[in-house]
């Protein structure tokens, strides 16, 4: 049996979006809003890539948001997903040493950015360690 109430919120959101986009000003405002939100999510994802967590998922979410309004973002999303899947498949076929080196490289990138931002000095200060070299050049 079809549940009409389950479809009601989605239909309401679609109608609201259609109403906003029905005028030229509304359509432009909508595209700008989607562009800004998508770009912010995309940049946050790119920043989060080397860190533990869902960096690539955030990148793909940002591209997905942008792809709802921009054809170039749809093409870039397809391209990026294909390359990501290809790289992940390649990495999974590699020997253990390659995987370990990849993990160490990722750790080096994380430590370097934490040092650049002065986060290592902050954390070391919690433990009473006040070495001058821990202060990063950007925000240290």
């Amino acid at each position: 049996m079809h549940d009409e109430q389950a479809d009601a919120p989605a239909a309401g959101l679609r109608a609201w979006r259609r109403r906003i986009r029905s005028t030229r000003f509304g359509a432009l405002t909508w595209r700008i809003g989607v562009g800004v939100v998508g770009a912010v999510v995309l940049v946050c994802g790119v920043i989060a890539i080397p860190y533990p967590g869902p960096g690539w998922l955030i990148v793909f979410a940002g591209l997905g948001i942008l792809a709802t309004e921009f054809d170039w973002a749809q093409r870039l999303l397809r391209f990026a997903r294909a390359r990501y899947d290809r790289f992940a498949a390649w990495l999974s076929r590699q020997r253990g040493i390659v995987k370990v080196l990849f993990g160490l490289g990722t750790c080096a990138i994380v430590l370097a950015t934490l040092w650049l931002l002065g986060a290592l000095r902050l954390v070391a200060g919690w433990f009473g360690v006040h070495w001058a070299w821990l202060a990063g050049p950007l925000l240290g």
Side-chain angles (χ1 to χ4, degrees), residues 105-121:
T106 301
C107 288
I109 291 170
V110 169
L111 288 173
T113 56
L114 290 174
W115 173 72
L116 284 170
L117 297 174
L120 292 180
R121 181 179 184 183

Side-chain angles (χ1 to χ4, degrees), residues 32-114:
I32 290 171
V34 168
V36 168
V37 170
V40 167
V41 172
L42 180 62
V43 167
C44 289
V46 168
I47 291 169
I49 286 172
Y51 296 97
W56 280 108
L57 179 64
I58 298 168
V59 167
F60 293 138
L63 283 173
I65 291 168
L66 290 168
T68 64
E69 289 295 317
F70 303 103
D71 290 334
W72 63 265
Q74 181 64 40
R75 290 189 303 272
L76 182 58
L77 177 60
R78 271 190 249 118
F79 176 82
R81 285 181 61 189
R83 295 305 175 271
Y84 176 82
D85 290 342
R86 198 167 82 187
F87 176 75
W90 174 84
L91 187 61
S92 69
R93 292 189 307 267
Q94 299 308 303
R95 300 177 78 193
I97 188 70
V98 174
K99 293 176 185 177
V100 168
L101 289 174
F102 183 78
L104 289 173
T106 301
C107 288
I109 291 170
V110 169
L111 288 173
T113 56
L114 290 174

